Amino acid sequence: MADPPLLSVTDLKVTFPTPRGPVRAVDSLGFEVRRGRTLGIVGESGSGKSVTSMAVMGLHTAAEITGSVRLDGQELVGLPEREMNRLRGRKMAMIFQDPLSSLHPYYTVGEQIAEHHRVHIRSGRRAARERAVEALAEVGIPEPRRRAGEYPHQFSGGMRQRVMIAMALACEPELLIADEPTTALDVTVQAQILELIAALQQDRGLAVVMITHDLGVVARVAHDVLVMYGGRAAEQAPVDPLFAVPSHPYTRGLLDSLPRLDDRDDEPLRTIPGSPPSLLAPAPGCAFAPRCPRLATATDQERSRCESERPSFGGAAGHPVACHLPAHEGVAS
C-alpha cells in the first residue's frame, strides 16, 4: 500500500479583491506530493504558480482562500496564524526566487540562520550558531565557520541561494517549496543548485514542490508535473509520459517553444500566439481556446463546445487533462 501524501491540495481557490472586481488567481486546483518525490509546477507568468505556493504556506494576507490544504493530515486553510507560524520553518519551508531581497542586509548570514533555528527549535544561542555553521557546510559553502560571519552582499548569487537553502532546511522540514530558485543564476550554478536540492531530498526524504517556467528544470528534477494555465490545472502526469506524449495543446506549445539541438542557428524560437487570459473576466469555456491550434481543424460543434463549456479535469488521455480535444497516445498533437 502506498504511503499517504505528505501534502494534499483539494479544490483550492484563491481570490483577490481589486477595485475592478474579484480576481480568482487559482481556481479549483488539486494535487498531491509524497515524501521523497518532487512535483514540478510549470506555466507562464500569471498562471497561478507562486500564488499556489503562497497559499500552501499561508502567506496571503488579503486573499480569500477556500478548499483544502492538508499537510501530513492537518488542515491548513483557516488555521490560526500562531499555528501556521509553528509549522512554517519546522514542518514546511520555502525558498524564494530572489535571495538578496529575502536576506536581511544588516545581519550576517550565520545570525539569520541561527535566529531561524532558535525561533522554531527553541535552541540556545550557542547551539543555534553551531547549527548555522553545520547548515552552511551541508549546502557546500566552503569555510562555513568564517563565512557565517559575513553579510549577504559578500556572497555571489549562487552562494546566496545556497544560504537560503541552508536556512530553509536548518530545522529539517518535511516539505520544501522552491519558487523559481534558479531563475537568476547562470546555467552552471543552476545545475549545482538543482543537484544540491536533489541530494538533500534523497538524504532526508523531503517532499519538494518545484515552481518554475523552465521545462528543462522540470525534466531534470521532477517526478511528476502539474501544468497550470489561467489559474487552473491544464495537465498532470509523471514527467516521462508528459514529455513523451503531451495531451493538452498548451503543454505541447510549451515543449515546442524549447530550443532544439537540430534547429538552425538562425531559426527563431517557436512561440504560443496570443496572450494569457484575463482573470478579471474569465471566458466561459476553455481558457486556452483563443490560442489553441487544434481549433483550426475542429468541427463547428467542437469549436462551440471549447468556447462555451469549461473542460473538466479528467483522465480521458491516460492522465488528468483539462481539454475537450486532448491528444491521445500515439496520436500527433
Side-chain angles (χ1 to χ4, degrees):
M1 183 176 178
D3 292 334
L6 176 66
L7 177 66
S8 179
V9 176
T10 306
D11 197 29
L12 178 66
K13 299 182 178 71
V14 181
T15 306
F16 294 95
T18 74
R20 298 174 59 191
V23 172
R24 179 160 291 175
V26 175
D27 192 359
S28 304
L29 188 66
F31 59 86
E32 295 180 344
V33 190
R34 285 177 164 75
R35 290 174 175 83
R37 306 274 299 179
T38 297
L39 173 70
I41 302 182
V42 299
E44 294 170 290
S45 296
S47 61
K49 307 184 301 297
S50 295
V51 173
T52 298
S53 67
M54 299 281 279
V56 171
M57 294 293 295
L59 296 175
H60 291 302
T61 57
E64 177 188 355
I65 301 175
T66 61
S68 174
V69 177
R70 301 185 72 85
L71 180 66
D72 204 13
Q74 182 178 8
E75 180 60 60
L76 303 186
V77 175
L79 199 66
E81 184 63 20
R82 178 176 295 181
E83 295 296 322
M84 285 299 300
N85 284 336
R86 292 197 183 108
L87 293 175
R88 284 194 291 258
R90 186 68 185 90
K91 190 84 172 179
M92 57 181 179
M94 189 168 179
I95 304 170
F96 294 94
Q97 180 173 345
D98 182 8
L100 189 58
S101 63
S102 301
L103 293 167
H104 201 294
Y106 295 154
Y107 297 94
T108 66
V109 298
E111 289 174 321
Q112 295 181 61
I113 297 173
E115 178 69 13
H116 179 76
H117 194 266
R118 289 180 59 227
V119 167
H120 292 287
I121 306 297
R122 306 294 182 187
S123 59
R125 291 183 181 275
R126 178 175 296 179
R129 285 197 298 268
E130 287 302 312
R131 181 66 188 113
V133 174
E134 291 174 4
L136 291 174
E138 288 170 359
V139 298
I141 291 182
E143 300 182 76
R145 189 168 299 278
R146 178 180 67 83
R147 304 223 66 182
E150 296 182 350
Y151 293 86
H153 73 271
Q154 295 175 276
F155 289 74
S156 66
M159 286 296 179
R160 280 195 294 267
Q161 196 61 282
R162 288 175 184 265
V163 170
M164 287 300 300
I165 296 172
M167 185 180 297
L169 299 181
C171 299
E172 301 188 1
E174 298 176 43
L175 172 68
L176 177 65
I177 299 177
D179 188 2
E180 303 273 12
T182 60
T183 295
L185 306 178
D186 62 52
V187 175
T188 302
V189 178
Q190 178 186 93
Q192 293 172 353
I193 295 298
L194 295 177
E195 288 171 1
L196 171 62
I197 293 174
L200 292 170
Q201 179 185 43
Q202 186 174 7
D203 289 343
R204 303 186 181 187
L206 281 170
V208 177
V209 177
M210 180 70 68
I211 296 170
T212 181
H213 62 274
D214 189 339
L215 287 170
V217 170
V218 170
R220 186 183 184 95
V221 303
H223 299 95
D224 305 285
V225 186
L226 172 63
V227 181
M228 292 187 66
Y229 185 77
R232 304 173 184 174
E235 186 168 4
Q236 186 173 6
V239 64
D240 290 340
L242 184 125
F243 274 74
V245 189
S247 296
H248 199 286
Y250 178 60
T251 309
R252 176 78 269 173
L254 291 177
L255 291 172
D256 286 344
S257 67
L258 293 173
R260 298 169 57 94
L261 291 176
D262 56 356
D263 285 344
R264 299 193 312 272
D265 291 343
D266 59 347
E267 185 171 345
L269 293 175
R270 292 162 289 276
T271 62
I272 302 174
S275 302
S278 168
L279 300 180
L280 271 170
C286 175
F288 191 63
R291 309 172 72 184
C292 182
R294 293 180 192 163
L295 289 189
T297 57
T299 65
D300 290 343
Q301 183 178 1
E302 289 172 335
R303 184 178 295 106
S304 176
R305 185 186 183 199
C306 289
E307 292 173 349
S308 63
E309 180 184 335
R310 176 177 172 176
S312 59
F313 193 57
H319 54 257
V321 58
C323 183
H324 293 308
L325 304 172
H328 298 278
E329 187 171 352
V331 178
S333 58

